[in-house]
Amino acid sequence: MKYANKYFTAAALAFTVSLGAQLKSTISANKEAKSQIINKNIYGHFAEHLGRGIYDGIFVGENSTIPNTKGVRNDIIKALKDLSIPNLRWPGGCFADTYHWKDGIGPKKERPTIVNRWWGGNTEDNSFGTHDFLDLAKELGAEPYLAGNLGSGEVKELSDWVAYVNGVTKNPMSDLRKKNGQDKPWNVKYWGVGNEMWGCGGNMTPEFYANLYRQYSTFMTDWNNSDKLFRIASGANIDDYHWTEVMMRDIPRGLIEGVALHSYSFSNWEKKGDAVDFSEDEYFATMKSALRMDELIQKHSAIMDKYDPEKKTALIVDEWGGWYEVEKGTNPGFLYQQNTMRDAMIAGVTLNIFNQHSDRVRMANLAQTVNVLQAVILTKGEKMLLTPTYHVMNLYKAHQDAQLIPLNIDSPNYSNKTETLKAVSGSASEKNGVTTISLVNIDSKNSVEASIDLKDFKSKNFTAKIISSNKINDHNSFDKPELIVPKDFKNIKKEKDALKLTLPPFSVVVLTSN
C-alpha cells in the first residue's frame, strides 16, 4: 500500500502549523565554546564509477548531442560551479579497489574495456580516466581526491600513479604523462589509500590493513612531494571504534594525514524502504540514523584525541547520505533513487553536525554527485534537475572557510510513538563581515517558534531563505523540476535583541546578515 499518510497531506500541514505554535526553541551564541574555521572541504562530493554516475551522468562523450566540454555535460559543470564544490572524490568507492589507472590513459580507442563487478556488472570502455577527471576538477575549481587501489593493486601501481600525476623531475611516469598530452603535473594533494578495507576493499582486519597502509603510504612519497600529499587511511564502518583505535595506534603520524569514516542514513539497513513512498515511522528512523552522526564523530574523535591531542590528523567523512531501495524498474546495482524533503533534512542536520565538529572533521563527501544515492543532480537524457539536497548545500556554502560561531540550542522534542529526537539543529559562522545561521526543523508535524538571541552576534539584521514543501515526500521530477527551490522567507521579525521566526515542519532556513 502506498502511504497517503495523514501527516503528509497539505491539509494536515496547514492544521499542524497552527499546533506548532506550542513548540519553542531558543538559540544563542555559545561564548564558552571553542571556535574554529569550518574547512570548505566539509562540503565535498563523491563521483564513483557506479550506475549512471559517470557514464550517462557526468560524462556523455564528446560526440553527444547534449552540449558538453570534453564529453562532460555543460549543464552539470555550471550547476557544480554554482555550488562551489571544494573537492571531488574519484573513482570510488568499492570501484577504486578494482580500478587500474593505466587502463584509463592514452588514446581512448586503445583503452581496454572492463566489467564493473561491483555495480551492475556492466561493461565500461575506460573513456573517462585520469586526464578526464583531473580536467573536470580543474574546470570546476575543485580539489581532486583520488582513491588508490589496495584491494587488487600493487604498491608500484599506486606509487606510479602518484608519479604520473605529480611528478616534477624526469621519470618514466612523468614522461608518459607528457606523451599523453599533459606537460605540467596536476599536483594532486588528497589521496585515499584504499577504500572500505574492512569490506569490499579486501575484508581485512584493521591490524593487517594498518601494516599494508604503512607500506603503501611510504612508497607514495619521494623527496619532492613528501610534504605535499594528504594521505587518508580507509576508516571505520559506522561505529567500529576498534578500527579507528588501530589506525591511530599503529600508523606513525608522519605517514598519515586523515582517517576516513563511512556512515549512511537509513530507516532499516536490511529493508531500506522506498525513496519517496515512506511512512512516518520510516522518516523518523531515518532522522534518528542521520542525527547519530554527532555521536559517531564524538566517539571516533575521542579515540583520535588520545593519540593526537593537537588534532593534526583529520577525520574525513568521505561517504555519507541517505540510502534507500532503488527506483522501481532500474538496475539494482545502479543505486538510483529519488531525492525528497527527507533528503533535505538529512543534508541540513548532517552539515550542521560537521560544522560544529570542524576542529576534527575537515573533509566530507556526500554520496554521490549525479544519479547515485543522495545525488545533488539527476539526469534523464537531455534533461537535468537539481534536487532538494542540492539547494540545501547551495544555501550552506556560505559556511565554507568561515569562522564557526558555536551555538546553544534549546530544542523541543520531535516525538514518534515512544521515541523522541531534538527537532531543531543549527550552525552559525562569520566570514568577511557576513553572518550565516542555518536552522533545520525535522519535525514532520509541528512548526517551531524560534528565538535567536542577538546580543553576542556582531550582525543584528538578517534576511532569510527557506526550503520547504507541502508534503515531506515531495521531490523535484523531470515534469516538475522546480517544485522545491529556495524561496524568500518572510516569517521573521526583530524584537529588541532577538530575532523571532517560525520554522515550518520539515524545513531548512538559512539566515544571512545584511
Side-chain angles (χ1 to χ4, degrees):
M1 176 181 176
K2 303 293 184 185
Y3 280 94
N5 192 299
K6 67 178 181 178
Y7 296 128
F8 300 164
T9 65
L13 177 62
F15 174 68
T16 54
V17 166
S18 64
L19 291 181
Q22 302 172 28
L23 302 182
K24 297 181 183 295
S25 175
T26 57
I27 301 164
S28 61
N30 184 350
K31 295 186 295 182
E32 306 303 320
K34 183 180 178 181
S35 177
Q36 61 272 336
I37 297 296
I38 299 171
N39 194 309
K40 67 179 181 180
N41 284 315
I42 284 173
Y43 291 80
H45 294 259
F46 174 31
E48 183 172 5
H49 284 243
L50 198 172
R52 296 193 303 113
I54 299 295
Y55 300 108
D56 195 34
I58 290 173
F59 185 77
V60 291
E62 295 179 2
N63 296 325
S64 173
T65 58
I66 299 172
N68 66 85
T69 300
K70 296 183 178 180
V72 177
R73 292 179 63 133
N74 289 342
D75 51 3
I76 287 181
I77 290 174
K78 181 182 184 306
L80 295 180
K81 277 185 173 180
D82 290 345
L83 201 56
S84 300
I85 71 167
N87 69 79
L88 186 60
R89 181 175 179 240
W90 177 87
C94 291
F95 181 83
D97 279 293
T98 55
Y99 182 67
H100 301 282
W101 66 271
K102 288 183 180 178
D103 291 344
I105 61 172
K108 297 197 176 189
K109 292 182 179 180
E110 298 177 11
R111 298 179 188 179
T113 57
I114 59 171
V115 175
N116 191 331
R117 58 172 293 181
W118 290 112
W119 305 116
N122 59 310
T123 300
E124 299 186 8
D125 64 3
N126 274 307
S127 55
F128 189 88
T130 297
H131 289 249
D132 308 277
F133 171 70
L134 294 177
D135 286 346
L136 169 61
K138 182 179 180 180
E139 178 70 24
L140 297 176
E143 289 270 9
Y145 171 9
L146 295 177
N149 180 349
L150 268 68
S152 64
E154 299 176 345
V155 173
K156 185 178 185 301
E157 182 176 8
L158 183 52
S159 177
D160 281 351
W161 202 13
V162 176
Y164 184 87
V165 168
N166 287 0
V168 177
T169 56
K170 180 177 174 58
N171 67 74
M173 290 299 102
S174 64
D175 287 347
L176 181 58
R177 182 191 70 226
K178 293 175 182 178
K179 178 183 176 182
N180 289 328
Q182 179 69 24
D183 185 57
K184 295 182 179 180
W186 286 283
N187 296 320
V188 174
K189 179 178 181 180
Y190 297 101
W191 293 82
V193 187
N195 168 78
E196 295 192 354
M197 306 310 293
W198 39 263
C200 61
N203 287 300
M204 300 176 186
T205 65
E207 291 81 6
F208 179 85
Y209 169 64
N211 279 325
L212 195 64
Y213 174 94
R214 291 167 67 136
Q215 180 186 17
Y216 273 76
S217 181
T218 297
F219 286 96
M220 290 173 70
T221 62
D222 60 28
W223 293 111
N224 294 311
N225 63 30
S226 59
D227 62 341
K228 298 177 182 177
L229 298 187
F230 193 102
R231 295 155 297 183
I232 300 166
S234 172
N237 179 30
I238 311 176
D239 58 358
D240 187 350
Y241 301 115
H242 176 64
W243 190 282
T244 299
E245 182 91 34
V246 173
M247 296 303 104
M248 296 301 295
R249 183 193 69 202
D250 292 0
I251 300 174
R253 295 289 80 78
L255 291 177
I256 186 171
E257 285 72 44
V259 176
L261 168 65
H262 290 180
S263 182
Y264 287 90
S265 301
F266 45 82
S267 59
N268 184 314
W269 181 249
E270 299 300 325
K271 189 177 180 181
K272 301 181 185 69
D274 196 272
V276 174
D277 294 316
F278 52 87
S279 67
E280 170 77 3
D281 288 348
E282 289 175 307
Y283 170 70
F284 186 93
T286 307
M287 290 301 99
K288 182 179 178 180
S289 178
L291 289 170
R292 192 186 177 203
M293 182 66 78
D294 185 68
E295 172 193 324
L296 296 176
I297 291 173
Q298 289 192 51
K299 290 185 176 181
H300 284 291
S301 295
I303 295 168
M304 297 176 76
D305 287 347
K306 286 199 306 181
Y307 300 94
D308 175 33
E310 296 179 349
K311 300 183 185 295
K312 291 183 178 180
T313 305
L315 181 60
I316 310 294
V317 190
D318 55 18
E319 290 190 29
W320 67 272
W323 194 324
Y324 322 114
E325 302 298 340
V326 302
E327 293 299 298
K328 295 177 180 63
T330 65
N331 188 321
F334 282 12
L335 303 187
Y336 177 81
Q337 62 188 42
Q338 250 299 349
N339 199 288
T340 68
M341 283 299 301
R342 173 172 62 171
D343 297 283
M345 298 299 98
I346 293 172
V349 300
T350 304
L351 291 170
N352 284 336
I353 291 168
F354 290 159
N355 288 346
Q356 297 286 17
H357 292 290
S358 49
D359 58 336
R360 180 65 83 175
V361 179
R362 297 199 283 279
M363 180 187 286
N365 301 79
L366 175 68
Q368 293 188 14
T369 312
V370 180
N371 291 333
V372 177
L373 296 176
Q374 191 175 339
V376 293
I377 295 170
L378 300 178
T379 67
K380 183 180 180 181
E382 293 186 356
K383 295 181 179 180
M384 185 201 81
L385 65 80
L386 307 178
T387 67
T389 299
Y390 177 98
H391 295 305
V392 172
M393 297 197 80
N394 200 25
L395 292 183
Y396 272 56
K397 69 185 180 185
H399 288 304
Q400 293 184 20
D401 282 344
Q403 185 79 36
L404 176 72
I405 302 173
L407 295 177
N408 289 317
I409 300 178
D410 181 15
S411 169
N413 287 330
Y414 163 39
S415 301
N416 182 56
K417 296 180 179 177
T418 61
E419 293 188 284
T420 61
L421 298 170
K422 293 299 183 183
V424 177
S425 72
S427 55
S429 66
E430 192 273 336
K431 182 180 178 181
N432 298 328
V434 176
T435 300
T436 301
I437 304 173
S438 52
L439 300 174
V440 181
N441 174 21
I442 64 169
D443 195 317
S444 65
K445 302 178 290 292
N446 299 301
S447 59
V448 176
E449 288 187 359
S451 177
I452 304 174
D453 188 341
L454 296 176
K455 288 196 296 291
D456 294 313
F457 286 90
K458 294 179 182 178
S459 304
K460 308 297 182 184
N461 298 306
F462 290 82
T463 58
K465 294 280 188 180
I466 185 171
I467 298 173
S468 63
S469 197
N470 289 335
K471 296 184 294 182
I472 203 163
N473 313 76
D474 281 346
H475 55 279
N476 291 335
S477 67
F478 293 103
D479 293 328
K480 297 180 179 179
E482 295 187 350
L483 178 65
I484 301 169
V485 295
K487 297 176 181 177
D488 291 336
F489 183 60
K490 302 297 185 181
N491 196 355
I492 177 173
K493 60 182 178 180
K494 186 179 176 184
E495 294 181 2
K496 297 182 179 179
D497 286 327
L499 208 59
K500 306 282 187 177
L501 62 154
T502 300
L503 303 173
F506 54 92
S507 64
V508 176
V509 173
V510 176
L511 302 101
T512 306
S513 66
N514 53 19

